[in-house]
C-alpha cells in the first residue's frame, strides 16, 4: 500500500519549549493538510539540543504537556506523530522519542547509544521498540543509534517502516566550512545511512533532523577537556523508500520533506520488547515547492 509521510526539519532554541512547540505545530498542521499519515520531528525538538547545564528544567514525563499536545494532534488529525523530547522518569532523564497514535495511545523509546556529553546528562535506553499501527509496524531509533548495526538487526524482519529522529551536526566549522579533524567524516553520513538502512532492511526509512546553528562539544577527558566547534546541524532529512524510489531529501534549511512510500505489511510477526509504559515533494518553511 502507498502511504504519505512527512519528515519535519526545524531549528530549535535551547529550553524555549513553548516557542519550539509552536513552530513544530505549524509544520505538523501543514503535513496534515498535505495528507500525511505519519509525521516525524527531530530529536529533542521541544528543548533544543546542546550542552545545556540542566535539562531537568524542561524534562517531562511521557504524559507531560508536550507529548499530551502531540497526542491530541494525533487523535484530531488521524496522524501518527513521532517526536524527540527529554523524558523524566523519577530521578533519571532520557533522550526519548514519543510515538503518538490516533487511538490516543503513546509509546516511548529511549535512545540506546549516547555520545559525547549526552552520557553526562542522560541514562541510556535498553530495548528496541516496535509500534503496531493499522498500516504496519514501526521501528524507531534516535540519531547515533542508526550507526550501530545491532540496532538495525533488532528490527530485521520485524518492521514495515523505520523512523529516525536526530540532531546530527555537520562536524564542520560553520564559518569556514572546514571539517573537524577527527569527526568531520561523520557529518555527511546523516544523509547516507537512512538510504542504506532502507535498502538493507527492505523497508522505508523516514529521517527527521534538526537544522540551524549549534556548537558541537567534543570531550576528550570527561568534560574537563573539550573542544567546542562553532557548527550547524546537518539537516538532510529524508524519506527513503528502499528499492521502490530514490530518496527525497532536504538541504540544510527549515523544510518539510513529504513523499509517498510503499508499505508491505504482510510479513510474519515476531515479538520485540518495548521500553514503553503503555508524488514526492519538498516544502520550505514558506511552503515554496522545490
Amino acid at each position: 500500500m502507498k502511504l504519505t509521510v512527512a519528515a519535519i526539519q526545524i531549528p530549535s532554541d535551547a529550553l524555549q519549549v513553548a516557542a519550539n512547540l509552536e513552530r513544530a505545530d505549524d509544520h505538523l498542521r501543514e503535513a496534515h493538510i498535505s495528507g500525511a499519515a505519519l509525521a516525524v520531528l527531530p530529536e529533542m525538538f521541544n528543548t533544543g539540543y546542546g550542552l545545556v547545564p540542566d535539562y531537568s528544567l524542561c524534562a517531562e514525563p511521557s504524559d507531560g504537556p508536550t507529548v499530551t499536545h502531540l497526542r491530541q494532534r494525533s487523535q484530531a488529525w488521524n496522524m501518527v506523530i513521532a517526536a524527540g523530547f527529554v523524558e523524566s522518569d523519577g530521578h533519571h532523564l532520557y533522550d526519548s522519542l514519543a510515538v503518538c497514535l490516533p487511538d490516543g495511545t503513546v509509546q516511548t523509546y529511549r535512545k540506546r547509544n549516547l555520545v559525547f556529553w549526552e552520557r553526562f546528562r542522560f541514562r541510556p535506553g535498553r530495548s528496541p521498540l516496535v509500534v503496531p499501527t493499522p498500516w504496519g509496524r514501526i521501528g524507531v531509533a534516535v540519531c547515533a543509534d542508526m550507526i550501530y548495526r545491532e540496532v538495525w538487526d533488532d528490527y530485521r524482519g520485524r518492521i514495515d517502516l523505520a523512523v529516525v529522529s536526530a540532531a546530527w551536526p555537520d562536524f564542520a566549522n560553520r564559518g569556514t566550512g572546514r571539517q573537524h579533524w577527527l569527526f568531520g567524516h561523520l557529518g555527511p553520513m546523516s544523509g547516507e545511512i537512512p538510504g542504506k538502512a532502507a535498502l538493507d532492511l527492505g523497508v522505508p526509512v523516514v529521517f527527521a533532523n534538526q537544522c540551524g546553528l549549534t556548537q558541537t562539544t567534543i570531550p576528550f577527558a570527561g568534560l574537563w577537556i573539550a573542544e567546542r566547534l562553532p557548527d550547524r546541524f546537518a539537516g538532510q532529512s529524508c524519506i527513503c523508500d528502499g528499492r521502490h524510489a530514490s530518496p527525497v531529501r532536504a538541504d540544510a534549511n527549515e523544510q518539510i520533506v513529504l513523499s509517498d512510500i510503499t508499505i508491505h505489511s504482510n510479513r510474519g510477526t515476531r515479538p520485540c520488547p518495548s521500553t514503553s509504559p503503555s508524488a514526492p515533494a519538498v516544502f520550505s518553511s514558506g511552503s515554496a515547492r522545490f
Side-chain angles (χ1 to χ4, degrees):
M1 65 178 292
K2 289 290 186 181
L3 195 73
T4 302
V5 298
I8 299 175
Q9 179 171 293
I10 54 174
S12 297
D13 298 322
L15 304 184
Q16 301 302 306
V17 173
N20 293 333
L21 183 56
E22 182 177 2
R23 181 196 297 268
D25 200 48
D26 290 341
H27 291 299
L28 287 171
R29 184 182 301 276
E30 188 174 352
H32 165 62
I33 292 171
S34 300
L38 165 71
V40 184
L41 287 163
E43 178 183 13
M44 295 167 57
F45 86 94
N46 65 331
T47 60
Y49 178 94
L51 187 56
V52 172
D54 187 4
Y55 267 109
S56 64
L57 300 173
C58 292
E60 303 177 14
S62 58
D63 60 352
T66 295
V67 176
T68 296
H69 178 83
L70 298 178
R71 177 176 56 80
Q72 292 170 346
R73 287 302 197 212
S74 174
Q75 290 178 284
W77 292 339
N78 194 34
M79 180 171 67
V80 177
I81 300 174
F85 72 111
V86 177
E87 180 192 4
S88 61
D89 185 0
H91 297 294
H92 303 305
L93 301 183
Y94 297 89
D95 184 345
S96 294
L97 180 70
V99 182
C100 304
L101 302 176
D103 65 3
T105 60
V106 177
Q107 297 201 45
T108 305
Y109 169 82
R110 294 167 174 172
K111 185 176 183 179
R112 289 183 276 168
N113 296 281
L114 303 176
V115 297
F116 302 144
W117 59 267
E118 295 171 0
R119 298 171 183 172
F120 299 88
R121 295 292 186 272
F122 308 122
R123 286 174 65 92
R126 299 298 182 189
S127 303
L129 174 67
V130 173
V131 181
T133 74
W135 33 261
R137 299 157 296 172
I138 303 175
V140 298
V142 175
C143 204
D145 281 335
M146 68 177 180
I147 296 176
Y148 296 88
R149 174 163 291 278
E150 58 264 30
V151 170
W152 297 116
D153 285 343
D154 284 336
Y155 293 131
R156 190 176 304 278
R158 298 172 174 173
I159 62 173
D160 309 296
L161 167 69
V163 301
V164 183
S165 179
W168 191 298
D170 256 347
F171 292 102
N173 187 296
R174 63 174 179 255
T176 65
R178 184 174 182 180
Q179 292 186 331
H180 184 266
W181 62 275
L182 181 58
F183 294 104
H185 68 287
L186 294 178
M189 288 175 63
S190 65
E192 298 170 357
I193 295 176
K196 292 180 179 179
L199 290 172
D200 181 38
L201 297 181
V203 301
V205 176
V206 183
F207 169 67
N209 197 18
Q210 279 201 37
C211 61
L213 304 182
T214 187
Q215 180 172 271
T216 299
T217 302
I218 304 172
F220 291 103
L223 286 181
W224 299 109
I225 301 176
E227 182 177 0
R228 290 175 172 82
L229 179 68
D231 203 349
R232 66 175 185 173
F233 293 108
Q236 301 188 68
S237 299
C238 58
I239 297 171
C240 306
D241 200 12
R243 302 177 181 93
H244 295 283
S246 298
V248 183
R249 194 181 311 280
D251 54 26
N253 300 311
E254 185 172 357
Q255 295 168 63
I256 298 178
V257 184
L258 186 73
S259 182
D260 288 343
I261 57 173
T262 306
I263 299 289
H264 299 287
S265 57
N266 57 353
R267 299 181 178 88
T269 301
R270 294 173 61 188
C272 190
S274 167
T275 61
S276 173
S278 46
V282 180
F283 296 95
S284 72
S285 57
S287 300
R289 189 181 293 267
F290 286 72

